[in-house]
């Protein structure tokens, strides 16, 4: 599933071809995504100039004077800049065609993504208004995490994957950040000291920044807006490395299931 680095990589890849361009038409071939693509998308987006492409959590925001199109890649979605005459493949559900002769094509084989419209302030949209801070932003640090963890018996991995606490820390990067901070993923959030929370916040930031520099992580079929895969997989310390030697202590990497997701960790390095 595309996580924050993959979404940001996609944003950076398509921005040069989309920003400040006028939308000539919108072609919706399949409305049955996670939520139905509203009919107003074609009417309200067509003719508008895309003034900026921003990201909030894992949502891409296509801002125009009339409102904002919200796009989520879901579990298998990707975006490509194409020639609008290129024949669509089976899972190419939406094209946004621009007046410069290019088109943005949204592909989503599993149809868990979405394309929605927000009038007015996009941050007031129900999908965005209750989100926590950005992990790469100035308001996110270990003291904030420690304060939010008071009285929380939930496992620390589930805690940092909660978008109401901090956005964009998905399964891959939660596992990697906890390894880097030396914290066992099953430890209760309230039992992580303030010092270790500061280490964890720094690890989250460092892991995400390295992933961004590598263009994200391609495990199966992720491609950025330029069509290139992400290369952070080569740097993964624990994720998807069950029974392989830990890169620090050489003991086998362990795996378990937390919250219906696979969790990877080193029993020697993480406490």
């Amino acid at each position: 599933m595309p996580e924050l680095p993959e979404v940001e990589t996609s944003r950076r890849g398509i921005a040069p071809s989309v920003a400040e361009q006028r939308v000539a038409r919108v072609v919706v071939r399949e409305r049955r995504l996670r939520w139905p693509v509203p009919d107003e998308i074609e009417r309200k987006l067509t003719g508008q100039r895309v003034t900026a492409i921003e990201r909030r959590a894992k949502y891409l925001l296509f801002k125009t004077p009339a409102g904002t199109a919200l796009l989520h890649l879901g579990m298998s979605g990707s975006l490509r800049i194409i020639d609008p005459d290129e024949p669509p493949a089976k899972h190419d559900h939406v094209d946004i065609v621009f007046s410069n002769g290019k088109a943005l094509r949204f592909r989503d084989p599993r149809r868990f993504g979405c394309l929605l419209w927000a009038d007015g302030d996009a941050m007031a949209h129900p999908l965005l208004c209750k989100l926590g801070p950005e992990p790469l932003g100035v308001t996110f640090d270990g003291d904030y995490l420690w304060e939010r963890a008071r009285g929380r018996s939930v496992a620390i991995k589930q805690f940092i994957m909660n978008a109401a606490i901090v956005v964009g820390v998905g399964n891959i990067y939660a596992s990697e950040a906890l390894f880097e901070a030396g914290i066992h993923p099953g430890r209760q959030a309230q039992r992580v000291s303030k010092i270790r929370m500061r280490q964890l916040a720094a690890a989250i930031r460092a892991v995400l920044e390295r992933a961004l520099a590598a263009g994200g992580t391609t495990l199966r079929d992720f491609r950025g807006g330029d069509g290139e895969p992400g290369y952070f997989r080569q740097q993964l310390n624990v994720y998807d490395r069950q029974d392989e030697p830990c890169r620090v202590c050489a003991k086998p990497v362990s795996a378990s299931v937390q919250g219906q997701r696979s969790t990877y960790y080193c029993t020697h390095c993480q406490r």
Side-chain angles (χ1 to χ4, degrees):
M1 176 178 179
E3 299 183 12
L4 187 153
E6 290 77 51
V7 177
E8 179 62 20
T9 295
S10 296
R11 187 195 70 80
R12 295 178 184 182
I14 66 175
S17 299
V18 174
E20 298 301 328
Q21 297 301 320
R22 193 169 298 278
V23 177
R25 67 182 186 277
V26 180
V27 181
V28 180
R29 302 182 188 88
E30 176 60 82
R31 294 189 182 276
R32 296 171 300 168
L33 302 183
R34 183 175 183 181
W35 298 286
V37 178
D39 294 338
E40 64 183 349
I41 282 286
E42 292 99 324
R43 175 169 51 86
K44 292 190 173 182
L45 191 52
T46 299
Q48 292 297 316
R49 180 173 56 88
V50 178
T51 57
I53 305 173
E54 300 175 357
R55 180 192 54 77
R56 179 67 172 111
K58 299 179 186 179
Y59 292 90
L60 291 175
L61 311 180
F62 296 78
K63 307 195 71 112
T64 80
T68 303
L70 279 64
L71 190 146
H72 194 291
L73 296 177
M75 297 186 69
S76 60
S78 61
L79 296 168
R80 287 190 303 132
I81 300 296
I82 61 162
D83 185 309
D85 293 329
E86 180 180 320
K90 179 180 179 181
H91 302 295
D92 292 339
H93 301 316
V94 179
D95 285 358
I96 301 175
V97 183
F98 299 97
S99 55
N100 64 354
K102 297 292 184 181
L104 178 66
R105 178 161 288 176
F106 178 34
R107 185 175 191 270
D108 187 7
R110 300 178 73 175
R111 290 192 291 151
F112 285 160
C114 73
L115 178 62
L116 302 171
W117 181 262
D119 290 312
D121 180 12
M123 295 305 168
H125 190 278
L127 291 173
L128 304 182
C129 66
K130 297 181 180 180
L131 294 175
E134 292 283 334
L136 300 178
V138 296
T139 62
F140 176 74
D141 59 21
D143 290 357
Y144 162 80
L145 280 182
W146 186 82
E147 289 289 347
R148 292 299 304 270
R150 296 309 85 213
R152 301 290 294 269
S153 61
V154 65
I156 186 63
K157 181 166 180 274
Q158 268 55 57
F159 178 74
I160 62 174
M161 288 179 63
N162 183 344
I165 302 298
V166 56
V167 301
V169 185
N171 199 31
I172 296 172
Y173 303 110
S175 292
E176 291 295 306
L178 286 166
F179 173 79
E180 192 157 309
I183 299 172
H184 191 284
R187 178 174 288 274
Q188 290 185 4
Q190 64 185 356
R191 295 185 60 199
V192 179
S193 69
K194 185 179 289 189
I195 291 175
R196 298 190 82 196
M197 280 295 198
R198 290 171 179 169
Q199 294 170 340
L200 177 56
I204 290 171
R205 185 184 296 271
V207 166
L208 291 174
E209 287 177 343
R210 291 200 302 271
L212 272 170
T217 303
T218 293
L219 296 179
R220 294 178 180 85
D221 57 0
F222 168 73
R223 293 292 185 275
D226 57 2
E228 291 295 315
Y231 293 100
F232 190 64
R233 182 170 189 170
Q234 284 78 9
Q235 301 180 41
L236 295 176
N237 285 305
V238 288
Y239 186 85
D240 204 28
R241 297 189 65 241
Q242 182 178 7
D243 296 329
E244 295 182 33
C246 171
R247 300 191 195 279
V248 174
C249 71
K251 293 186 180 298
V253 171
S254 298
S256 63
V257 176
Q258 276 185 296
Q260 299 181 332
R261 293 172 183 249
S262 295
T263 295
Y264 301 90
Y265 55 96
C266 175
T267 57
H268 181 263
C269 295
Q270 294 174 252
R271 302 293 180 182

